[in-house]
């Protein structure tokens, strides 16, 4: 289960509308209790990949480090990442899967069709390493 306050859920979807037709991406800080993740804060990240910003995303290592530092300051952890899929379904791509390494974290994808956010899905990265990792669709609870 991924628990997201309404205003943050709206904000991450709006981010994808703002950057359309390019992808947006960001980091989610919050609290993790086994597979129950609660989002407390969003950190927008610049899309560092300029070659094809419409179908790939990447968060710069410096941004990840800054996010961890910010989280530690507030007693929060990185609980996941979000990005948008302009004119593509809210399903993970082979690139998304290959670049996912944060086990126990949520990977949230919002489909943005013609500039409007439609479906938002969350996938929990399960497993212990590259050999057994998997994305599992998880329910999103908006509070
Ligand atoms: Zn993607």
């Amino acid at each position: 289960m991924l628990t997201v306050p309404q205003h943050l859920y709206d904000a991450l979807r709006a981010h994808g509308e703002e950057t359309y037709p390019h992808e947006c991406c960001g980091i989610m800080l919050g609290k993790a209790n086994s597979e129950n993740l609660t989002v407390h804060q969003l950190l927008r990240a610049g899309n560092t990949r300029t070659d094809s910003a419409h179908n790939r995303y990447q968060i710069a290592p410096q941004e990840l480090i800054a996010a961890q530092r910010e989280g530690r300051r507030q007693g929060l952890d990185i609980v996941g990442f979000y990005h948008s899929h302009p004119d593509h379904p809210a399903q993970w791509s082979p690139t998304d899967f290959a670049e996912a390494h944060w086990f126990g974290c949520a990977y949230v994808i919002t489909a943005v069709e013609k500039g409007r956010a439609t479906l938002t899905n969350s996938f929990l990265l399960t497993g212990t390493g590259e050999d057994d990792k998997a994305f599992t669709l998880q329910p999103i609870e908006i509070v």
Side-chain angles (χ1 to χ4, degrees), residues 5-121:
Q6 180 78 58
H7 71 282
L8 296 182
Y9 183 75
D10 293 343
L12 75 81
R13 288 165 54 82
H15 192 187
E17 294 182 343
E18 275 175 42
T19 60
Y20 182 88
H22 301 292
E23 286 195 8
C24 71
C25 61
I27 301 165
M28 305 188 296
L29 294 180
K31 301 214 163 154
N33 179 2
S34 168
E35 293 192 352
N36 293 311
L37 309 172
T38 304
V39 180
H40 288 234
Q41 196 185 335
L42 302 178
L43 299 174
R44 290 182 170 207
N47 194 333
T48 58
R49 218 198 280 258
T50 51
D51 55 341
S52 59
H54 59 286
N55 59 10
R56 288 160 167 247
Y57 77 103
Q58 193 173 46
I59 294 170
Q62 309 91 281
E63 285 187 290
L64 270 178
I65 292 165
Q68 278 182 306
R69 197 173 292 142
E70 177 64 19
R72 211 172 295 133
R73 205 176 59 77
Q74 301 187 48
L76 302 174
D77 291 316
I78 292 176
V79 293
F81 305 90
Y82 71 89
H83 71 285
S84 63
H85 277 180
D87 297 318
H88 279 86
Q91 273 295 328
W92 53 270
S93 69
T95 307
D96 292 335
F97 185 67
E99 295 183 351
H101 307 293
W102 288 66
F103 296 102
C105 277
Y107 286 76
V108 172
I109 300 172
T110 298
V112 181
E113 290 171 20
K114 297 190 175 79
R116 300 284 307 214
T118 54
L119 189 62
T120 296
N121 280 328

